[in-house]
Amino acid sequence: MWFASTTASARLSSDDPLARAEALLADGRASEAAGTLQLLIERGRAGLLARLMYARALSQAGDSDAALEAARETALMFPGIAAVAVGLGEALLRAGTLAIAIAEFQRALRIDPQLAEGRFLLGCAWLEAGEPEKALQAFDEIPADAAPSELPEKIAEAEQMRVLSRSNPRYVRHLFDQFATDYDARMLGQLAYSAPGILRELASLVIPDLQAHSLDVLDLGCGTGLTGLEFRDIARRLDGIDLSPSMLEKARAHGIYHELAVADVENLPGAREPYELVLAADTLVYLGDLRATFASVSTQLKPGGFFLFTVEREVEGDGFSLGPKRRWRHSENYLRGEADRLRYTIVGLVKCSPRTEAGVPVEGFAVALQKSK
């Protein structure tokens, strides 16, 4: 929060506990500030400002759980006050609970549309969620005379995010953290999701002498584990990575993965041992330029290993484009060119429909690449 700056006489030597706590926060001594404010609260001498500052001090001290509890308690004591909603939103943001944090900032602005601090933090939250357009809209509505010093840096970050040839990892994480609860029902029912089964059939066609529990398999963007379930019968070892911790928790509940980790497909962690098979079902649709991913996957594969994936089909050009649902589409020529550049052999490339959208089949490709031996 933007607390008013103290005068020189109200610095660390002040007899006013609130001013002293503020000075401690400004000096980077958040734990001491929290202790000072806690004493005020315990003695019944803490007003609204002290309680708001207490939650912030706890957050800055790294105790996000205590900060969130303090912010929620303040919200119960002072309902309907915009600054309180901002304080709760800030605690939620620091705790990584993005969706609820955004809702609290929006609530604060409904109470007080002129609250510049709430507008700035809403923009920061949209940035954290990988939504640069929404962030820039929030930043643009901050009056010039109320703009914080960090605003130009945040605007530059949002502008840079807009021109990336991939969906921002924070956007993907935010999206799937929100979907985790009902992801399987939504995908298998409403969207007729079939990418895992399509890749399983493709594997049977292109991998010679496929046998039970014979391959070490890495599942990219494993989500809740739907692809893992299709391939567990041939996996000697099955590992998975995803950007969403909430999705990984769902995958872990299946009990089929040996290891699960939060990671980005463009920068995969070093493999314990190279894999014979890497899978990406409906994962590469969040990437435009696939060069870094193809290269990263190559580091995970044994010579002669296979990389199987689905993409949505670009039907008009020879490259890739961003569709209306913020999912990238790739042309056949682009896929062939990048595979050749990274010295993969295309052993399978077939048209398919990995899912539906509004009841209409989505055009796509199922692709099987083999790493050079």
Side-chain angles (χ1 to χ4, degrees), residues 97-175:
T97 313
L98 273 173
I100 307 176
I102 289 168
E104 283 299 312
F105 295 138
Q106 290 171 329
R107 183 169 74 88
L109 291 168
R110 287 195 296 272
I111 298 169
D112 182 0
Q114 305 306 314
L115 190 60
E117 179 188 7
R119 194 75 62 185
F120 175 70
L121 289 173
L122 175 61
C124 291
W126 281 127
L127 261 186
E128 189 62 29
E131 296 273 11
E133 299 292 347
K134 294 178 180 179
L136 287 168
Q137 180 180 351
F139 294 149
D140 188 56
E141 295 173 0
I142 298 173
D145 59 356
S149 59
E150 307 98 320
L151 183 58
E153 178 183 346
K154 292 295 183 180
I155 291 175
E157 183 181 348
E159 293 287 2
Q160 183 180 21
M161 194 181 291
R162 293 172 72 186
V163 299
L164 293 175
S165 59
R166 60 166 291 173
S167 299
N168 187 274
R170 288 180 287 183
Y171 162 75
V172 177
R173 172 177 173 167
H174 175 60
L175 178 68

Side-chain angles (χ1 to χ4, degrees), residues 156-300:
E157 183 181 348
E159 293 287 2
Q160 183 180 21
M161 194 181 291
R162 293 172 72 186
V163 299
L164 293 175
S165 59
R166 60 166 291 173
S167 299
N168 187 274
R170 288 180 287 183
Y171 162 75
V172 177
R173 172 177 173 167
H174 175 60
L175 178 68
F176 285 99
D177 276 348
Q178 289 183 293
F179 286 165
T181 301
D182 63 347
Y183 178 83
D184 288 5
R186 181 193 297 257
M187 294 299 288
L188 296 176
Q190 181 181 344
L191 299 178
Y193 179 54
S194 57
I198 290 170
L199 290 186
R200 184 65 179 83
E201 292 180 15
L202 184 59
S204 298
L205 292 173
V206 302
I207 301 177
D209 302 321
L210 194 58
Q211 299 177 9
H213 308 297
S214 60
L215 301 177
D216 289 347
V217 180
L218 175 61
D219 185 3
L220 304 181
C222 63
T224 60
L226 295 177
T227 301
L229 290 170
E230 286 284 350
F231 282 84
R232 61 179 170 173
D233 65 311
I234 62 170
R236 177 173 54 237
R237 179 182 181 88
L238 179 61
D239 296 333
I241 69 108
D242 201 278
L243 284 169
S244 166
S246 297
M247 298 289 273
L248 289 177
E249 285 303 310
K250 294 289 185 179
R252 190 170 286 110
H254 288 302
I256 60 174
Y257 291 93
H258 291 78
E259 290 185 6
L260 289 165
V262 175
D264 190 315
V265 296
E266 288 191 340
N267 188 25
L268 293 169
R272 174 192 55 84
E273 292 289 342
Y275 298 92
E276 283 102 359
L277 176 61
V278 174
L279 305 166
D282 210 37
T283 298
L284 304 190
V285 294
Y286 295 102
L287 303 165
D289 187 348
L290 297 179
R291 188 170 305 177
T293 300
F294 279 16
S296 185
V297 168
S298 183
T299 68
Q300 307 290 309

Side-chain angles (χ1 to χ4, degrees), residues 27 31 49 59 79 86 89-90 95 102 104 114 131 141 169 175 181 304 325 362 370:
D27 199 40
S31 294
L49 184 59
S59 284
V86 168
E90 186 176 19
I102 289 168
E104 283 299 312
Q114 305 306 314
E131 296 273 11
E141 295 173 0
L175 178 68
T181 301
K325 297 294 184 178
V362 173
Q370 186 174 25

Side-chain angles (χ1 to χ4, degrees), residues 23 43 45 67 84 86 108 138 246 264 282-283 307 309 338 343:
R43 293 170 181 170
R45 297 172 53 198
V84 174
V86 168
S246 297
D264 190 315
D282 210 37
T283 298
F307 178 28
F309 59 88
E338 291 305 310
R343 299 178 63 189

Side-chain angles (χ1 to χ4, degrees), residues 258-373:
H258 291 78
E259 290 185 6
L260 289 165
V262 175
D264 190 315
V265 296
E266 288 191 340
N267 188 25
L268 293 169
R272 174 192 55 84
E273 292 289 342
Y275 298 92
E276 283 102 359
L277 176 61
V278 174
L279 305 166
D282 210 37
T283 298
L284 304 190
V285 294
Y286 295 102
L287 303 165
D289 187 348
L290 297 179
R291 188 170 305 177
T293 300
F294 279 16
S296 185
V297 168
S298 183
T299 68
Q300 307 290 309
L301 279 172
K302 292 181 178 179
F306 294 88
F307 178 28
L308 273 58
F309 59 88
T310 61
V311 294
E312 292 187 7
R313 181 182 169 214
E314 171 60 62
V315 296
E316 295 183 355
D318 289 331
F320 54 85
S321 66
L322 187 61
K325 297 294 184 178
R326 296 188 65 177
R327 294 161 62 87
W328 295 88
R329 300 165 174 168
H330 299 86
S331 71
E332 180 175 348
N333 285 345
Y334 175 79
L335 295 172
R336 289 186 179 278
E338 291 305 310
D340 184 64
R341 187 187 306 275
L342 273 297
R343 299 178 63 189
Y344 287 105
T345 300
I346 297 178
V347 293
L349 194 156
V350 296
K351 292 180 181 179
C352 68
S353 177
R355 56 182 283 169
T356 63
E357 193 70 57
V360 178
V362 173
E363 293 187 70
F365 292 115
V367 184
L369 307 182
Q370 186 174 25
K371 182 178 177 178
S372 299
K373 296 182 180 179

